[in-house]
Amino acid sequence: MDAEEFGDIAQTVSFARNLLTHVRRHEEITTQNVSQARDLSKRRPWLNGPLPLSCEGCRFELPMDLKVLESLTAIKYLSNYCIVSSRRKYLFKTTFVKADSDLDGIINSYELRQALLDLYSNSIDNECLDDILDIIDCQIGKVFDRNEFAAISAFSERYLCTRYHDKQEINASKQLLEQTDFAGLKAKLEGCNIAPKFLRMLLII
């Protein structure tokens, strides 16, 4: 074996070792994240079981220029204009980790459906769930990251609140800034070319 061949073998071995180290590190981080989420559930009992509905767990905003909405999808809007409380974030994170079966940081449409059923099992049925997924245009093949899941979960809770709570009660529980933003929204959006499903979502909020 000459020096050049020996050098090639040494480089290959070094690359293999580095790759193995990287894979092991990734597995350690993933295992640690799952373990932390499970520990979180044990330390905070309110993370387990069906979620009681409330409009106070999140706040929705609107862009200063409402024309911006014309270029957004429902999920893009939720990801950028939904502010989720710290307590809800913990809950949604834990639910996401449970739903993410292959631990790749994203969930598919089936996993999303199961996660929402898990979150709102006392309040949601298949008809409601189908309607929510239709509004956000959730199609087979789409995937969602943790932030998108949190935003979708927040909208789902608001949707369910409108079905089970009185409208005045809902408005009273919203933060003042949100009440101001969404007051008379239908009139504010006149002249804006917004997709029908997205418009319906905004009016539900």
Side-chain angles (χ1 to χ4, degrees):
M1 180 184 300
D2 58 27
E4 184 177 352
E5 289 177 337
F6 182 80
D8 290 342
I9 292 173
Q11 287 182 350
T12 301
V13 171
S14 177
F15 174 78
R17 285 176 176 170
N18 289 336
L19 180 61
L20 181 59
T21 300
H22 176 75
V23 170
R24 285 175 175 171
R25 178 57 181 160
H26 176 73
E27 290 176 346
E28 288 173 1
I29 292 172
T30 301
T31 302
Q32 184 180 22
N33 287 341
V34 174
S35 178
Q36 287 175 348
R38 288 172 179 167
D39 289 344
L40 193 61
S41 294
K42 293 177 182 178
R43 295 198 306 271
R44 295 177 170 85
W46 47 266
L47 288 175
N48 297 310
L51 179 67
L53 299 178
S54 171
C55 290
E56 299 176 8
C58 66
R59 173 169 58 85
F60 295 92
E61 299 179 334
L62 290 172
M64 292 291 292
D65 180 4
L66 294 179
K67 285 287 186 179
V68 170
L69 297 172
E70 295 181 347
S71 62
L72 298 179
T73 63
I75 293 176
K76 195 72 173 177
Y77 165 79
L78 291 174
S79 298
N80 288 280
Y81 294 97
C82 176
I83 313 301
V84 182
S85 70
S86 297
R87 187 166 180 169
R88 282 294 192 271
K89 279 183 180 179
Y90 279 125
L91 177 60
F92 296 156
K93 174 184 176 181
T94 303
T95 305
F96 181 87
V97 170
K98 290 179 182 177
D100 184 13
S101 57
D102 54 3
L103 305 176
D104 61 352
I106 57 174
I107 58 175
N108 58 37
S109 56
Y110 173 78
E111 291 168 330
L112 171 64
R113 185 183 186 91
Q114 295 305 118
L116 292 176
L117 285 172
D118 183 34
L119 267 176
Y120 303 112
S121 58
N122 279 355
S123 309
I124 200 168
D125 56 24
N126 284 322
E127 181 181 352
C128 287
L129 184 54
D130 288 342
D131 195 28
I132 290 170
L133 297 180
D134 181 60
I135 290 171
I136 66 171
D137 195 25
C138 175
Q139 300 173 3
I140 295 175
K142 280 195 174 183
V143 294
F144 310 90
D145 62 26
R146 194 174 74 190
N147 291 332
E148 290 171 332
F149 172 72
I152 292 168
S153 298
F155 168 68
S156 300
E157 184 171 12
R158 182 62 62 87
Y159 172 99
L160 293 169
C161 281
T162 64
R163 290 182 65 93
Y164 296 107
H165 294 176
D166 179 79
K167 187 174 182 179
Q168 289 185 337
E169 179 186 353
I170 292 173
N171 288 334
S173 65
K174 293 178 182 178
Q175 296 184 30
L176 182 59
L177 184 59
E178 183 179 336
Q179 292 183 41
T180 303
D181 272 354
F182 284 83
L185 182 62
K186 193 170 184 178
K188 291 178 181 178
L189 294 178
E190 287 183 3
C192 293
N193 185 23
I194 299 174
K197 290 180 183 179
F198 182 21
L199 176 59
R200 184 181 169 217
M201 185 187 77
L202 292 171
L203 295 176
I204 287 173
I205 292 171

